[in-house]
Structures are given as C-alpha cells and as structure tokens.
Amino acid sequence: MVQLLTPDGERVPHPDYELDPTPGELRGLYRDMVLARAADGEGVTLQRQGELALWPSLLGQEAAQIGSARALRDDDHVFPSYRDHGVALCRGLDPLHVFRLFRGVTHGGWDPADHNFHLYTLVIGSQVLHATGYAMGVAAEDAGTAVAVYFGDGATSQGDVSEAFNFAAVYNAPIVFFCQNNQWAISAGNERQSRVPLFRRSAGFGFPGVRVDGNDVLACLAVTRAALARARSGAGPMLIEAFTYRMGAHTTADDASRYRDPVEVEEWRGKDPIARLGLHLRTTGLADDEFFARTDREGADLAADLRASVRGMPDPGLADAFGRTYGSEHPLVAEELAWFREYSASFVAAEEG
C-alpha cells in the first residue's frame, strides 16, 4: 500500500511515487479537508433537523477525495458518486447545488461543463460506465485530457463496474477508476464482497491497479497524479483503491452501530486524515496556531452560510417539479401534471364541502 505520511504525521518515501509539495500546498490540502468536513457535518445536522431528506456523509474519507481531486487538471472530467462532496468543492462547484438535491427542491442538476464535474449518481456503479464511454469519446477526439470516476467498494459488486473495466481496457480509454474502499457497503463488510483485494481486479482486465492509504492525502495526490498523467499519455486506464474508512453511517437513514464494532471505529478515528496532516504541519513548523484557528473559523463560516441558505430555499412550484424532467414538454409528463393538479384540488374541495 502506498503511503507517504504515516498516522503519526511522519513523511516517508516511496520508490514509485515521489511528491515534494510546498508548505503552501500542504496548508492548502489541510484547509480543503477542513472545509469539506465542515460542509459535510452541516449536511448531517440539517438532515437531523428535518431540513434535508437525506445526507450521505464523507466523514473519514476527506484525504481520499481531496488528494485525488487536487491531482486533476481543470480540463479533466469527473464523474462522482453521491458522497463526493470534497471533490465537488475542489472542482469549484457551489455546494448549495448538492444541498438543493438532498433537500429535494431540485432534481440535482447543474451544468457539468461549468467545472467538468458531472452529476451525482445515486444508482450504484452506473456512473462508471458513463465515465468510460466519455473517456472513449475524449480519446476519439484526441483531447489530451483524462477522466476520473469515483465509486465505492460496494459498487465493485455491480456488473456495471466489470463491464466498464473491460471496455476501458479494450479501447485503452484515458480513465482513472478511483475506488474509495471505506470497507462497508452499507452493512456488508469487505470480507463479504471480495476474496481478493479490490485493486487486483484490474489485472484480470489487462490494466494496472494500486492500493493507496486513503487516509493519507499526500499519497492519494501522488498516485492519482501519476495515474492521470499515464491516462493522458495514451497508456490507458488504471485502478486506484483508496483504502479508507467511513467513520459515519452509510447515510443518515442508516444506524451503523447495529453492524459495526465500536472498537473498530475507534481504531480508525486514530487514523483521522485531517489530524494526520495537522500533526505533520505542527511538528515541522509549517503552520502555527493562528493558521489552524483561521482555518477552523473558515469552516464554521462555511457551515453557517450553508445553514442559512438551505433554510431560506424556496419550495419549488409544481410546474418546476414536473417541468424539468425533459428538455421540452412531454405529453406523458403533462398528463401526469394534470392528474396531480386534479388530485390536489380534490382535497380543497373536500375541505370546503
């Protein structure tokens, strides 16, 4: 497993993946992770207060998302899953787009071309095929860019992922498969999902795979950067298994205490990705107390802004809910809208009668 920063905050070399970040870049990675955790924590809180319908937390996976996302170029394309809020922040997406989706006041749409960040996908694994097809198109146009697709360990049990691996290999697509192995597919642990480490699956399809410490933001940055450069060079796809841990529940609809050992959770809290880089910054003198306090304030301000904005979101009109399914009016949707209006009016008539 590739590791460049130990849980004790000590830098260690790796023969295949070198990284020499500046102090400013290290502080930037720390700040990114703190902001991602702040936004994510606000999502959990707002759902518990009834302001959101659901929230899939990224808690514990900040290093995997921030490290890999900061390896991307602006002209690369990203296909996320549904808990990749840290990647969204790094791509410059307004986080309110994500909050609108989970509040249920939009269908979750944003223009993917604005940040080369495609739509969240809640259907497990399907975005892996979408990304592979997009990468094949990128290669056909000789665009010189790469595609990164994010998915979890649970998605690897879906046939879609195996199909995508095969197409990507056969067509030498410029794609990086970034699997965040948080070790739990809802309540199914790794041992019930695969007999071999996930990164080894790619060998059967004819392309390389590597396991990286998913709580080490530097290792995730270095490995993803190399994989993207490889893809852009025409050498084909690569699988990265970021070995991490979901410290929270699968979503706010889940109670992880029913199937996880609390000892295991505490063990992984000791490998917290933010604390790890923070310890390195402190022990090397690359950041002082003022930096950490300022970063914490930024996170608190972001959370407060999100809270106020979410609570102020207007409810969508009925025409919006039905009218944004297709690009132009569709007769079946129009029929369903007419039926729903008639149905809703029946309650008013009953109350008046």
Side-chain angles (χ1 to χ4, degrees), residues 61-82:
Q61 299 177 218
E62 293 87 351
Q65 295 191 13
I66 299 301
S68 59
R70 286 304 181 195
L72 291 155
R73 292 192 328 208
D74 289 345
D75 59 347
D76 292 330
H77 292 262
V78 179
F79 286 74
S81 179
Y82 52 79

Side-chain angles (χ1 to χ4, degrees), residues 202-254:
S202 61
F205 294 91
F207 60 92
V210 62
R211 173 180 274 185
V212 59
D213 183 341
N215 284 22
D216 176 354
V217 69
L218 302 185
C220 290
L221 173 62
V223 171
T224 309
R225 183 177 285 170
L228 289 166
R230 181 180 182 279
R232 294 188 205 101
S233 74
M238 184 168 169
L239 170 63
I240 299 173
E241 178 194 0
F243 195 73
T244 181
Y245 193 77
R246 163 166 61 78
M247 291 200 287
H250 175 67
T251 70
T252 47
D254 171 44

Side-chain angles (χ1 to χ4, degrees), residues 80 84-99 108-112 114-120:
D84 299 316
H85 320 313
V87 183
L89 286 172
C90 289
R91 297 302 284 179
L93 185 78
D94 184 343
L96 285 177
H97 282 302
V98 176
F99 281 80
W110 53 79
D111 187 345
D114 286 345
H115 305 283
N116 285 355
F117 185 77
H118 293 253
L119 303 181
Y120 269 23

Side-chain angles (χ1 to χ4, degrees), residues 57-330:
S57 175
L58 64 78
L59 184 64
Q61 299 177 218
E62 293 87 351
Q65 295 191 13
I66 299 301
S68 59
R70 286 304 181 195
L72 291 155
R73 292 192 328 208
D74 289 345
D75 59 347
D76 292 330
H77 292 262
V78 179
F79 286 74
S81 179
Y82 52 79
R83 74 169 83 245
D84 299 316
H85 320 313
V87 183
L89 286 172
C90 289
R91 297 302 284 179
L93 185 78
D94 184 343
L96 285 177
H97 282 302
V98 176
F99 281 80
R100 290 189 188 100
L101 167 66
F102 288 109
R103 189 173 171 86
V105 298
T106 72
H107 293 319
W110 53 79
D111 187 345
D114 286 345
H115 305 283
N116 285 355
F117 185 77
H118 293 253
L119 303 181
Y120 269 23
T121 306
L122 274 70
V123 178
I124 304 300
S126 62
Q127 79 277 13
V128 187
L129 276 171
H130 305 160
T132 299
Y134 202 93
M136 292 164 60
V138 165
E141 293 181 351
D142 197 21
T145 62
V147 173
V149 57
Y150 290 78
F151 54 100
D153 48 291
T156 63
S157 297
Q158 296 284 351
D160 285 7
V161 173
S162 293
E163 293 168 20
F165 283 3
N166 194 51
F167 267 92
V170 169
Y171 289 92
N172 206 42
I175 184 169
V176 174
F177 297 103
F178 194 87
C179 175
Q180 294 174 74
N181 180 2
N182 66 24
Q183 305 186 48
W184 288 95
I186 308 183
S187 58
N190 269 181
E191 73 282 358
R192 293 175 60 194
Q193 298 182 67
S194 179
R195 288 294 185 186
V196 298
L198 297 179
F199 76 96
R200 291 186 181 168
R201 288 195 184 180
S202 61
F205 294 91
F207 60 92
V210 62
R211 173 180 274 185
V212 59
D213 183 341
N215 284 22
D216 176 354
V217 69
L218 302 185
C220 290
L221 173 62
V223 171
T224 309
R225 183 177 285 170
L228 289 166
R230 181 180 182 279
R232 294 188 205 101
S233 74
M238 184 168 169
L239 170 63
I240 299 173
E241 178 194 0
F243 195 73
T244 181
Y245 193 77
R246 163 166 61 78
M247 291 200 287
H250 175 67
T251 70
T252 47
D254 171 44
D255 178 4
S257 68
R258 299 183 64 180
Y259 55 83
R260 288 199 309 201
D261 186 340
V263 174
E264 174 187 292
V265 179
E266 282 308 305
E267 178 187 342
W268 278 91
R269 286 190 194 284
K271 303 175 184 177
D272 186 299
I274 297 178
R276 183 185 303 201
L277 182 56
L279 183 59
H280 176 72
L281 289 170
R282 286 185 184 279
T283 56
T284 55
L286 297 177
D288 55 18
D289 290 343
E290 198 281 331
F291 165 78
F292 289 108
R294 184 175 68 249
T295 305
D296 287 344
R297 284 196 302 274
E298 281 190 78
D301 290 345
L302 173 61
D305 289 344
L306 289 171
R307 190 181 316 132
S309 297
V310 167
R311 288 175 172 166
M313 286 178 181
D315 292 336
L318 199 56
D320 286 334
F322 281 83
R324 310 231 174 183
T325 305
Y326 292 93
S328 56
E329 185 172 316
H330 189 284

Side-chain angles (χ1 to χ4, degrees), residues 13-75:
H14 191 281
D16 300 323
Y17 298 97
E18 295 182 356
L19 192 70
D20 187 23
T22 66
E25 289 170 333
L26 288 171
R27 289 191 293 269
L29 291 168
Y30 180 88
R31 176 180 176 272
D32 287 341
M33 289 194 290
V34 169
L35 296 186
R37 181 169 291 188
D40 179 70
E42 192 59 34
V44 174
T45 300
L46 286 169
Q47 196 283 328
R48 295 305 188 207
Q49 294 173 348
E51 300 287 354
L52 303 177
L54 184 75
W55 187 260
S57 175
L58 64 78
L59 184 64
Q61 299 177 218
E62 293 87 351
Q65 295 191 13
I66 299 301
S68 59
R70 286 304 181 195
L72 291 155
R73 292 192 328 208
D74 289 345
D75 59 347

